[in-house]
Coordinates of all heavy atoms in Angstrom, one line a residue:
M1 N -151.1 -61.1 -131.0 CA -151.9 -59.9 -131.4 C -152.7 -60.3 -132.6 O -152.2 -60.9 -133.5 CB -151.0 -58.8 -131.7 CG -151.7 -57.5 -132.0 SD -150.5 -56.2 -132.2 CE -151.5 -54.9 -131.5
E2 N -154.0 -59.9 -132.6 CA -154.9 -60.3 -133.6 C -154.8 -59.3 -134.8 O -154.6 -58.1 -134.6 CB -156.3 -60.2 -133.1 CG -157.3 -61.2 -133.6 CD -158.6 -61.1 -133.0 OE1 -158.8 -61.5 -131.9 OE2 -159.5 -60.6 -133.7
A3 N -154.8 -59.8 -136.0 CA -154.7 -59.0 -137.2 C -156.0 -58.1 -137.3 O -157.0 -58.5 -136.9 CB -154.5 -59.8 -138.4
A4 N -155.8 -56.9 -137.8 CA -157.0 -56.0 -138.0 C -158.0 -56.7 -139.0 O -157.6 -57.3 -140.0 CB -156.5 -54.7 -138.6
F5 N -159.2 -56.6 -138.6 CA -160.3 -57.2 -139.4 C -161.0 -56.1 -140.2 O -161.6 -55.1 -139.6 CB -161.3 -57.9 -138.5 CG -162.4 -58.5 -139.3 CD1 -162.3 -59.6 -140.1 CD2 -163.7 -57.9 -139.3 CE1 -163.3 -60.2 -140.8 CE2 -164.7 -58.4 -140.0 CZ -164.6 -59.6 -140.7
T6 N -161.0 -56.1 -141.5 CA -161.7 -55.2 -142.3 C -162.6 -55.9 -143.3 O -162.1 -56.6 -144.2 CB -160.7 -54.3 -143.1 OG1 -159.8 -53.7 -142.2 CG2 -161.5 -53.2 -143.9
P7 N -163.9 -55.9 -143.0 CA -164.8 -56.6 -143.9 C -164.9 -56.0 -145.3 O -164.7 -54.7 -145.4 CB -166.2 -56.5 -143.2 CG -166.1 -55.4 -142.3 CD -164.6 -55.3 -141.9
T8 N -165.1 -56.8 -146.3 CA -165.2 -56.2 -147.7 C -166.6 -55.6 -147.8 O -167.5 -55.8 -147.0 CB -165.1 -57.4 -148.7 OG1 -166.2 -58.2 -148.5 CG2 -163.8 -58.1 -148.5
P9 N -166.8 -54.8 -148.8 CA -168.1 -54.2 -149.0 C -169.2 -55.3 -149.2 O -170.3 -55.1 -148.7 CB -167.9 -53.4 -150.3 CG -166.5 -53.0 -150.3 CD -165.8 -54.2 -149.7
A10 N -168.9 -56.3 -149.9 CA -169.8 -57.4 -150.0 C -170.2 -58.1 -148.7 O -171.3 -58.4 -148.4 CB -169.3 -58.5 -151.0
E11 N -169.2 -58.2 -147.8 CA -169.4 -58.8 -146.5 C -170.3 -57.8 -145.7 O -171.2 -58.3 -144.9 CB -168.1 -59.1 -145.8 CG -167.4 -60.3 -146.4 CD -166.0 -60.4 -145.8 OE1 -165.3 -59.4 -145.5 OE2 -165.6 -61.6 -145.7
R12 N -170.1 -56.5 -145.8 CA -170.9 -55.6 -145.1 C -172.3 -55.6 -145.5 O -173.2 -55.5 -144.7 CB -170.3 -54.2 -145.2 CG -168.9 -54.1 -144.4 CD -168.4 -52.7 -144.5 NE -169.4 -51.8 -143.8 CZ -169.0 -50.7 -143.2 NH1 -167.8 -50.4 -143.1 NH2 -169.9 -50.0 -142.6
I13 N -172.5 -55.7 -146.8 CA -173.9 -55.7 -147.4 C -174.6 -57.0 -146.9 O -175.7 -57.0 -146.5 CB -173.9 -55.7 -148.9 CG1 -173.5 -54.3 -149.4 CG2 -175.2 -56.0 -149.5 CD1 -173.1 -54.1 -150.8
D14 N -173.8 -58.1 -146.9 CA -174.4 -59.4 -146.4 C -174.8 -59.3 -145.0 O -175.9 -59.7 -144.6 CB -173.4 -60.5 -146.6 CG -173.9 -61.9 -146.2 OD1 -174.9 -62.3 -146.7 OD2 -173.3 -62.5 -145.3
A15 N -174.0 -58.6 -144.2 CA -174.3 -58.5 -142.7 C -175.5 -57.6 -142.6 O -176.4 -57.9 -141.7 CB -173.1 -57.8 -142.0
I16 N -175.7 -56.6 -143.4 CA -176.9 -55.7 -143.3 C -178.1 -56.5 -143.6 O -179.1 -56.4 -143.0 CB -176.7 -54.5 -144.2 CG1 -175.6 -53.6 -143.7 CG2 -178.0 -53.7 -144.3 CD1 -175.2 -52.5 -144.6
E17 N -178.0 -57.3 -144.7 CA -179.2 -58.1 -145.1 C -179.5 -59.1 -144.0 O -180.7 -59.3 -143.7 CB -178.9 -58.9 -146.4 CG -178.8 -57.9 -147.6 CD -178.4 -58.6 -148.9 OE1 -177.9 -59.7 -148.8 OE2 -178.5 -58.0 -149.9
Q18 N -178.5 -59.8 -143.4 CA -178.8 -60.7 -142.3 C -179.4 -60.0 -141.1 O -180.4 -60.5 -140.5 CB -177.5 -61.4 -141.9 CG -176.9 -62.4 -142.9 CD -175.7 -63.0 -142.4 OE1 -175.5 -63.3 -141.3 NE2 -174.7 -63.2 -143.4
F19 N -178.9 -58.9 -140.8 CA -179.4 -58.1 -139.7 C -180.9 -57.8 -139.9 O -181.8 -57.9 -139.0 CB -178.6 -56.8 -139.5 CG -179.1 -55.9 -138.4 CD1 -178.8 -56.1 -137.1 CD2 -180.0 -54.9 -138.7 CE1 -179.2 -55.3 -136.0 CE2 -180.5 -54.1 -137.6 CZ -180.1 -54.3 -136.3
L20 N -181.2 -57.3 -141.1 CA -182.6 -56.9 -141.4 C -183.5 -58.2 -141.4 O -184.6 -58.1 -140.9 CB -182.7 -56.2 -142.8 CG -182.1 -54.8 -142.8 CD1 -182.0 -54.2 -144.2 CD2 -182.8 -53.9 -141.8
Q21 N -183.0 -59.3 -141.9 CA -183.8 -60.5 -141.9 C -184.2 -60.9 -140.5 O -185.3 -61.2 -140.2 CB -183.1 -61.6 -142.6 CG -183.0 -61.5 -144.1 CD -182.1 -62.5 -144.7 OE1 -181.3 -63.2 -144.1 NE2 -182.1 -62.6 -146.1
Q22 N -183.2 -60.9 -139.6 CA -183.4 -61.2 -138.2 C -184.3 -60.2 -137.5 O -185.1 -60.6 -136.7 CB -182.0 -61.4 -137.5 CG -181.2 -62.6 -138.0 CD -179.9 -62.7 -137.5 OE1 -179.5 -62.0 -136.5 NE2 -179.0 -63.5 -138.1
L23 N -184.1 -59.0 -137.8 CA -185.0 -57.9 -137.2 C -186.4 -58.1 -137.6 O -187.3 -58.0 -136.8 CB -184.5 -56.5 -137.6 CG -185.2 -55.4 -137.0 CD1 -185.2 -55.4 -135.5 CD2 -184.6 -54.1 -137.5
V24 N -186.7 -58.4 -138.9 CA -188.1 -58.6 -139.4 C -188.7 -59.8 -138.7 O -189.8 -59.7 -138.2 CB -188.1 -58.7 -140.9 CG1 -189.5 -59.2 -141.4 CG2 -187.8 -57.4 -141.6
L25 N -187.9 -60.9 -138.6 CA -188.5 -62.0 -137.9 C -188.8 -61.7 -136.4 O -189.8 -62.1 -135.9 CB -187.5 -63.2 -137.9 CG -187.9 -64.5 -137.2 CD1 -189.2 -65.0 -137.8 CD2 -186.8 -65.5 -137.4
L26 N -187.9 -61.0 -135.7 CA -188.1 -60.6 -134.4 C -189.3 -59.7 -134.2 O -190.1 -59.9 -133.3 CB -186.9 -59.9 -133.8 CG -186.9 -59.6 -132.3 CD1 -187.1 -60.8 -131.4 CD2 -185.6 -58.8 -131.9
L27 N -189.5 -58.8 -135.1 CA -190.7 -57.9 -135.1 C -192.0 -58.7 -135.2 O -193.0 -58.3 -134.6 CB -190.6 -56.9 -136.2 CG -189.5 -55.8 -136.0 CD1 -189.4 -55.0 -137.3 CD2 -189.9 -54.9 -134.8
E28 N -191.9 -59.8 -135.9 CA -193.1 -60.6 -136.1 C -193.5 -61.4 -134.8 O -194.7 -61.7 -134.6 CB -192.9 -61.6 -137.2 CG -192.9 -61.0 -138.6 CD -192.6 -62.0 -139.7 OE1 -192.2 -63.1 -139.4 OE2 -192.9 -61.6 -140.9
V29 N -192.5 -61.7 -134.0 CA -192.8 -62.6 -132.8 C -192.7 -61.9 -131.4 O -193.1 -62.5 -130.5 CB -191.9 -63.9 -132.9 CG1 -192.2 -64.7 -134.1 CG2 -190.5 -63.5 -132.7
E30 N -192.0 -60.8 -131.4 CA -191.7 -60.1 -130.1 C -192.6 -58.9 -129.9 O -192.4 -57.9 -130.6 CB -190.2 -59.8 -130.0 CG -189.8 -59.1 -128.7 CD -190.0 -59.9 -127.5 OE1 -189.7 -61.1 -127.5 OE2 -190.5 -59.4 -126.5
P31 N -193.5 -58.9 -128.9 CA -194.4 -57.8 -128.7 C -193.7 -56.6 -128.1 O -194.1 -55.5 -128.4 CB -195.5 -58.3 -127.8 CG -194.9 -59.5 -127.1 CD -193.8 -60.0 -128.0
E32 N -192.8 -56.8 -127.3 CA -192.1 -55.6 -126.6 C -190.6 -55.6 -127.0 O -189.7 -56.1 -126.4 CB -192.2 -55.7 -125.1 CG -193.6 -55.6 -124.7 CD -193.8 -55.6 -123.2 OE1 -192.8 -55.2 -122.5 OE2 -194.8 -56.0 -122.7
I33 N -190.4 -55.0 -128.2 CA -189.0 -55.0 -128.7 C -188.3 -53.8 -128.3 O -188.8 -52.7 -128.2 CB -189.1 -55.1 -130.3 CG1 -187.7 -55.4 -130.8 CG2 -189.7 -53.9 -130.9 CD1 -187.7 -55.9 -132.2
N34 N -187.0 -53.9 -128.0 CA -186.1 -52.8 -127.7 C -184.7 -53.2 -128.1 O -184.5 -54.3 -128.6 CB -186.2 -52.5 -126.2 CG -185.8 -53.6 -125.3 OD1 -184.9 -54.4 -125.6 ND2 -186.5 -53.7 -124.1
R35 N -183.8 -52.3 -127.8 CA -182.4 -52.5 -128.2 C -181.8 -53.8 -127.7 O -181.1 -54.5 -128.3 CB -181.6 -51.3 -127.7 CG -180.2 -51.2 -128.2 CD -179.5 -50.0 -127.6 NE -180.3 -48.8 -127.6 CZ -180.3 -47.9 -128.6 NH1 -179.5 -48.0 -129.6 NH2 -181.1 -46.8 -128.6
E36 N -182.1 -54.1 -126.4 CA -181.6 -55.3 -125.7 C -182.2 -56.6 -126.3 O -181.4 -57.5 -126.5 CB -181.8 -55.2 -124.2 CG -181.0 -54.2 -123.5 CD -181.6 -52.7 -123.7 OE1 -182.8 -52.6 -123.9 OE2 -180.8 -51.8 -123.6
T37 N -183.5 -56.6 -126.6 CA -184.0 -57.8 -127.2 C -183.5 -58.1 -128.6 O -183.3 -59.2 -129.0 CB -185.6 -57.8 -127.2 OG1 -186.0 -56.6 -127.9 CG2 -186.2 -57.8 -125.8
V38 N -183.3 -57.0 -129.4 CA -182.7 -57.2 -130.7 C -181.3 -57.8 -130.6 O -181.0 -58.7 -131.3 CB -182.7 -55.8 -131.5 CG1 -181.9 -56.0 -132.8 CG2 -184.1 -55.4 -131.8
S39 N -180.5 -57.2 -129.7 CA -179.2 -57.6 -129.5 C -179.1 -59.1 -129.1 O -178.3 -59.9 -129.6 CB -178.4 -56.8 -128.5 OG -177.1 -57.2 -128.4
A40 N -179.9 -59.4 -128.1 CA -180.0 -60.8 -127.6 C -180.4 -61.8 -128.7 O -179.9 -62.9 -128.8 CB -180.9 -60.9 -126.4
W41 N -181.4 -61.4 -129.5 CA -181.9 -62.3 -130.5 C -180.9 -62.5 -131.6 O -180.6 -63.6 -132.0 CB -183.2 -61.6 -131.2 CG -183.7 -62.4 -132.4 CD1 -183.5 -62.1 -133.7 CD2 -184.4 -63.6 -132.3 NE1 -184.1 -63.1 -134.5 CE2 -184.7 -64.0 -133.7 CE3 -184.9 -64.4 -131.3 CZ2 -185.4 -65.1 -134.0 CZ3 -185.7 -65.5 -131.6 CH2 -185.9 -65.9 -133.0
I42 N -180.2 -61.5 -132.0 CA -179.1 -61.6 -133.0 C -178.0 -62.5 -132.4 O -177.4 -63.3 -133.2 CB -178.6 -60.3 -133.5 CG1 -179.8 -59.7 -134.3 CG2 -177.4 -60.4 -134.3 CD1 -179.5 -58.3 -134.9
D43 N -177.7 -62.4 -131.2 CA -176.6 -63.2 -130.6 C -177.0 -64.7 -130.7 O -176.2 -65.6 -131.0 CB -176.4 -62.9 -129.1 CG -175.7 -61.6 -128.9 OD1 -175.1 -61.1 -129.9 OD2 -175.7 -61.0 -127.8
V44 N -178.3 -65.0 -130.4 CA -178.8 -66.4 -130.4 C -178.8 -66.9 -131.9 O -178.3 -68.0 -132.1 CB -180.2 -66.5 -129.8 CG1 -180.9 -67.8 -130.2 CG2 -180.2 -66.2 -128.3
C45 N -179.3 -66.1 -132.8 CA -179.3 -66.5 -134.2 C -177.8 -66.7 -134.7 O -177.6 -67.6 -135.5 CB -180.0 -65.4 -135.1 SG -181.8 -65.4 -134.8
S46 N -176.9 -65.8 -134.4 CA -175.6 -65.9 -134.8 C -174.9 -67.2 -134.3 O -174.2 -67.9 -135.1 CB -174.8 -64.7 -134.4 OG -175.2 -63.5 -135.1
A47 N -175.1 -67.4 -133.0 CA -174.5 -68.6 -132.5 C -175.0 -69.9 -133.1 O -174.2 -70.8 -133.4 CB -174.7 -68.7 -130.9
S48 N -176.3 -69.9 -133.4 CA -176.9 -71.1 -134.0 C -176.4 -71.2 -135.5 O -176.1 -72.3 -135.9 CB -178.4 -70.9 -134.0 OG -179.0 -72.0 -134.7
A49 N -176.4 -70.1 -136.2 CA -175.9 -70.2 -137.6 C -174.5 -70.6 -137.7 O -174.1 -71.5 -138.5 CB -176.1 -68.8 -138.3
L50 N -173.7 -70.1 -136.8 CA -172.2 -70.5 -136.8 C -172.1 -72.0 -136.4 O -171.3 -72.7 -137.1 CB -171.5 -69.6 -135.8 CG -169.9 -69.7 -135.8 CD1 -169.4 -69.4 -137.2 CD2 -169.3 -68.8 -134.8
A51 N -172.8 -72.4 -135.4 CA -172.7 -73.8 -135.0 C -173.2 -74.8 -136.1 O -172.7 -75.9 -136.1 CB -173.6 -74.0 -133.7
H52 N -174.1 -74.4 -136.9 CA -174.7 -75.3 -137.9 C -174.0 -75.0 -139.3 O -174.4 -75.6 -140.3 CB -176.2 -75.0 -138.1 CG -176.9 -75.6 -136.9 ND1 -177.3 -74.8 -135.8 CD2 -177.4 -76.8 -136.6 CE1 -177.9 -75.5 -134.9 NE2 -178.0 -76.7 -135.4
G53 N -173.0 -74.2 -139.3 CA -172.3 -74.0 -140.6 C -173.0 -73.1 -141.6 O -172.6 -73.1 -142.7
A54 N -174.0 -72.4 -141.1 CA -174.8 -71.6 -142.0 C -174.1 -70.2 -142.2 O -174.6 -69.4 -143.1 CB -176.2 -71.4 -141.5
R55 N -173.2 -69.9 -141.4 CA -172.4 -68.7 -141.5 C -171.0 -68.9 -141.1 O -170.7 -69.7 -140.2 CB -173.1 -67.7 -140.5 CG -172.5 -66.3 -140.6 CD -173.2 -65.3 -139.7 NE -174.6 -65.2 -139.9 CZ -175.5 -65.0 -138.9 NH1 -175.1 -64.8 -137.7 NH2 -176.8 -64.9 -139.2
T56 N -170.1 -68.2 -141.8 CA -168.7 -68.4 -141.5 C -168.3 -67.5 -140.3 O -169.0 -66.5 -140.0 CB -167.8 -68.0 -142.7 OG1 -168.0 -66.5 -143.0 CG2 -168.2 -68.7 -144.0
P57 N -167.2 -67.8 -139.7 CA -166.7 -66.9 -138.6 C -166.5 -65.5 -139.1 O -166.8 -64.5 -138.4 CB -165.4 -67.5 -138.2 CG -165.5 -69.0 -138.5 CD -166.3 -69.0 -139.8
R58 N -166.1 -65.3 -140.3 CA -165.9 -63.9 -140.9 C -167.2 -63.2 -141.0 O -167.3 -62.0 -140.7 CB -165.1 -64.0 -142.2 CG -164.7 -62.7 -142.8 CD -163.7 -62.9 -144.0 NE -163.5 -61.6 -144.5 CZ -162.4 -60.9 -144.2 NH1 -161.6 -61.3 -143.3 NH2 -162.2 -59.7 -144.8
Q59 N -168.2 -63.9 -141.5 CA -169.6 -63.3 -141.6 C -170.1 -63.0 -140.2 O -170.7 -61.9 -140.0 CB -170.6 -64.3 -142.3 CG -170.4 -64.5 -143.7 CD -171.2 -65.6 -144.3 OE1 -171.3 -66.7 -143.7 NE2 -171.9 -65.4 -145.4
T60 N -169.9 -63.8 -139.3 CA -170.3 -63.6 -137.9 C -169.6 -62.3 -137.3 O -170.3 -61.4 -136.7 CB -170.1 -64.8 -137.0 OG1 -170.8 -65.9 -137.5 CG2 -170.5 -64.5 -135.6
K61 N -168.3 -62.2 -137.6 CA -167.6 -61.1 -137.1 C -168.1 -59.8 -137.7 O -168.2 -58.7 -137.1 CB -166.1 -61.3 -137.3 CG -165.2 -60.3 -136.5 CD -163.8 -60.8 -136.5 CE -163.0 -60.0 -135.6 NZ -161.6 -60.4 -135.4
T62 N -168.4 -59.8 -139.0 CA -168.9 -58.7 -139.7 C -170.2 -58.2 -139.2 O -170.5 -57.0 -138.9 CB -168.9 -58.9 -141.2 OG1 -167.7 -59.3 -141.7 CG2 -169.4 -57.7 -142.0
L63 N -171.1 -59.2 -138.9 CA -172.4 -58.9 -138.4 C -172.3 -58.3 -137.0 O -173.0 -57.4 -136.6 CB -173.3 -60.1 -138.4 CG -174.7 -60.0 -137.8 CD1 -175.5 -58.9 -138.6 CD2 -175.5 -61.3 -137.8
E64 N -171.4 -58.9 -136.2 CA -171.1 -58.3 -134.8 C -170.7 -56.9 -134.9 O -171.2 -56.0 -134.1 CB -170.1 -59.2 -134.1 CG -170.6 -60.5 -133.7 CD -169.5 -61.5 -133.2 OE1 -168.3 -61.1 -133.2 OE2 -169.8 -62.5 -132.7
G65 N -169.8 -56.5 -135.8 CA -169.4 -55.1 -136.0 C -170.6 -54.2 -136.3 O -170.7 -53.1 -135.8
L66 N -171.4 -54.7 -137.3 CA -172.6 -53.9 -137.6 C -173.5 -53.7 -136.4 O -174.0 -52.6 -136.2 CB -173.4 -54.6 -138.7 CG -174.7 -54.1 -139.1 CD1 -174.6 -52.7 -139.8 CD2 -175.5 -55.0 -139.9
C67 N -173.7 -54.8 -135.7 CA -174.6 -54.7 -134.5 C -174.0 -53.7 -133.5 O -174.8 -52.9 -132.9 CB -174.8 -56.0 -133.8 SG -175.8 -57.1 -134.9
R68 N -172.7 -53.7 -133.3 CA -172.1 -52.7 -132.4 C -172.4 -51.3 -132.8 O -172.7 -50.4 -132.0 CB -170.6 -52.9 -132.2 CG -170.2 -54.0 -131.2 CD -168.7 -54.0 -131.0 NE -167.9 -54.1 -132.1 CZ -167.6 -55.2 -132.7 NH1 -168.0 -56.4 -132.2 NH2 -166.8 -55.2 -133.8
R69 N -172.4 -51.1 -134.1 CA -172.6 -49.7 -134.6 C -174.1 -49.3 -134.5 O -174.4 -48.2 -134.3 CB -172.1 -49.6 -136.1 CG -170.6 -49.5 -136.2 CD -170.1 -49.2 -137.6 NE -170.6 -50.1 -138.6 CZ -170.0 -51.3 -138.9 NH1 -169.0 -51.7 -138.2 NH2 -170.5 -52.1 -139.8
V70 N -175.0 -50.2 -134.9 CA -176.4 -49.8 -134.9 C -177.2 -50.0 -133.6 O -178.3 -49.5 -133.5 CB -177.2 -50.5 -136.1 CG1 -176.5 -50.2 -137.4 CG2 -177.3 -52.0 -135.9
L71 N -176.7 -50.8 -132.7 CA -177.4 -51.1 -131.5 C -176.9 -50.3 -130.3 O -177.3 -50.6 -129.2 CB -177.4 -52.6 -131.2 CG -178.2 -53.4 -132.2 CD1 -178.1 -54.9 -131.9 CD2 -179.7 -53.0 -132.2
T72 N -175.9 -49.4 -130.5 CA -175.4 -48.6 -129.3 C -176.2 -47.3 -129.2 O -176.7 -46.8 -130.2 CB -173.9 -48.3 -129.6 OG1 -173.8 -47.5 -130.8 CG2 -173.1 -49.5 -129.6
P73 N -176.3 -46.8 -128.0 CA -177.0 -45.6 -127.8 C -176.5 -44.4 -128.6 O -177.2 -43.5 -128.9 CB -176.9 -45.3 -126.3 CG -176.7 -46.6 -125.7 CD -175.9 -47.4 -126.7
A74 N -175.3 -44.4 -129.1 CA -174.7 -43.4 -129.8 C -175.5 -43.2 -131.2 O -175.4 -42.1 -131.7 CB -173.2 -43.6 -130.2
V75 N -176.2 -44.2 -131.6 CA -177.0 -44.1 -132.8 C -178.1 -43.1 -132.6 O -178.6 -42.5 -133.6 CB -177.5 -45.5 -133.3 CG1 -178.4 -45.4 -134.4 CG2 -176.3 -46.3 -133.7
D76 N -178.5 -42.9 -131.4 CA -179.7 -42.0 -131.1 C -179.4 -40.5 -131.2 O -180.3 -39.7 -131.1 CB -180.2 -42.3 -129.7 CG -180.8 -43.7 -129.6 OD1 -181.2 -44.3 -130.6 OD2 -180.8 -44.3 -128.5
V77 N -178.2 -40.1 -131.4 CA -177.9 -38.7 -131.4 C -178.3 -38.1 -132.8 O -178.4 -38.8 -133.8 CB -176.3 -38.5 -131.3 CG1 -175.9 -38.9 -129.9 CG2 -175.5 -39.1 -132.4
V78 N -178.5 -36.8 -132.8 CA -179.0 -36.1 -134.0 C -177.8 -36.1 -134.9 O -176.7 -35.7 -134.6 CB -179.5 -34.7 -133.6 CG1 -179.8 -34.0 -134.9 CG2 -180.7 -34.8 -132.7
R79 N -178.1 -36.4 -136.2 CA -177.0 -36.3 -137.2 C -176.9 -34.9 -137.8 O -177.9 -34.2 -137.9 CB -177.4 -37.3 -138.3 CG -177.5 -38.8 -137.9 CD -176.2 -39.5 -137.9 NE -176.5 -40.9 -137.6 CZ -175.7 -41.6 -136.8 NH1 -174.6 -41.0 -136.3 NH2 -175.9 -42.8 -136.6
P80 N -175.7 -34.5 -138.2 CA -175.6 -33.3 -138.9 C -176.4 -33.2 -140.2 O -176.7 -34.3 -140.8 CB -174.1 -33.2 -139.3 CG -173.4 -34.2 -138.4 CD -174.5 -35.2 -138.1
A81 N -176.8 -32.1 -140.7 CA -177.6 -31.9 -141.9 C -177.0 -32.6 -143.1 O -177.7 -33.2 -143.9 CB -177.9 -30.5 -142.1
E82 N -175.7 -32.6 -143.2 CA -175.1 -33.1 -144.4 C -175.1 -34.7 -144.5 O -174.9 -35.3 -145.5 CB -173.6 -32.7 -144.6 CG -172.7 -33.1 -143.5 CD -172.6 -32.1 -142.4 OE1 -173.4 -31.1 -142.3 OE2 -171.8 -32.3 -141.5
A83 N -175.5 -35.3 -143.4 CA -175.6 -36.8 -143.3 C -177.0 -37.3 -143.7 O -177.3 -38.4 -143.6 CB -175.2 -37.3 -141.9
R84 N -177.9 -36.4 -144.1 CA -179.3 -36.8 -144.4 C -179.3 -37.7 -145.7 O -178.4 -37.6 -146.5 CB -180.1 -35.6 -144.7 CG -180.5 -34.8 -143.4 CD -181.4 -33.7 -143.7 NE -180.6 -32.8 -144.5 CZ -181.1 -31.7 -145.1 NH1 -182.4 -31.4 -145.0 NH2 -180.3 -30.9 -145.7
W85 N -180.3 -38.5 -145.8 CA -180.5 -39.3 -146.9 C -181.0 -38.5 -148.1 O -181.7 -37.5 -148.0 CB -181.6 -40.4 -146.7 CG -181.2 -41.4 -145.7 CD1 -181.4 -41.3 -144.3 CD2 -180.5 -42.6 -145.9 NE1 -180.8 -42.4 -143.7 CE2 -180.3 -43.2 -144.7 CE3 -180.1 -43.3 -147.0 CZ2 -179.7 -44.4 -144.5 CZ3 -179.5 -44.5 -146.9 CH2 -179.3 -45.1 -145.7
S86 N -180.5 -38.8 -149.3 CA -180.9 -38.0 -150.5 C -182.0 -38.6 -151.1 O -182.3 -39.8 -151.1 CB -179.7 -38.0 -151.5 OG -178.6 -37.4 -150.9

């Protein structure tokens, strides 16, 4: 059985920064972007970074968790009023 994985706040911030960096690069080169192309691009980047030692397995797992949260259709639902940005 695998131990529960809980990323630290610093790891979550790092994953968000990596996600945004990859998203910006994709926006520059992909004319027809959608949820699937973003997900596929991040998979390719993550595999490459992990293979070249540019990212640890823990960083990769944290980024994968972030992607599951932000790239699922559930993100498209309307948020309650108390969840608005201040």
Side-chain angles (χ1 to χ4, degrees):
M1 184 175 218
E2 216 178 285
F5 177 76
T6 305
T8 66
E11 288 171 326
R12 291 183 64 150
I13 290 168
D14 182 58
I16 292 167
E17 289 173 350
Q18 289 179 39
F19 178 85
L20 291 173
Q21 288 170 349
Q22 293 173 13
L23 182 59
V24 168
L25 179 59
L26 183 60
L27 288 169
E28 290 177 345
V29 300
E30 179 62 43
E32 294 184 29
I33 192 166
N34 59 35
R35 189 182 315 269
E36 289 78 25
T37 55
V38 171
S39 182
W41 176 258
I42 290 177
D43 287 346
V44 168
C45 290
S46 293
S48 177
L50 188 60
H52 290 92
R55 187 178 301 147
T56 67
R58 190 170 173 92
Q59 287 173 312
T60 298
K61 195 166 188 174
T62 301
L63 182 59
E64 288 170 353
L66 171 72
C67 290
R68 276 192 305 276
R69 286 189 302 278
V70 301
L71 294 175
T72 59
V75 172
D76 294 336
V77 299
V78 175
R79 302 269 187 223
E82 62 271 9
R84 287 182 293 172
W85 293 88
S86 300

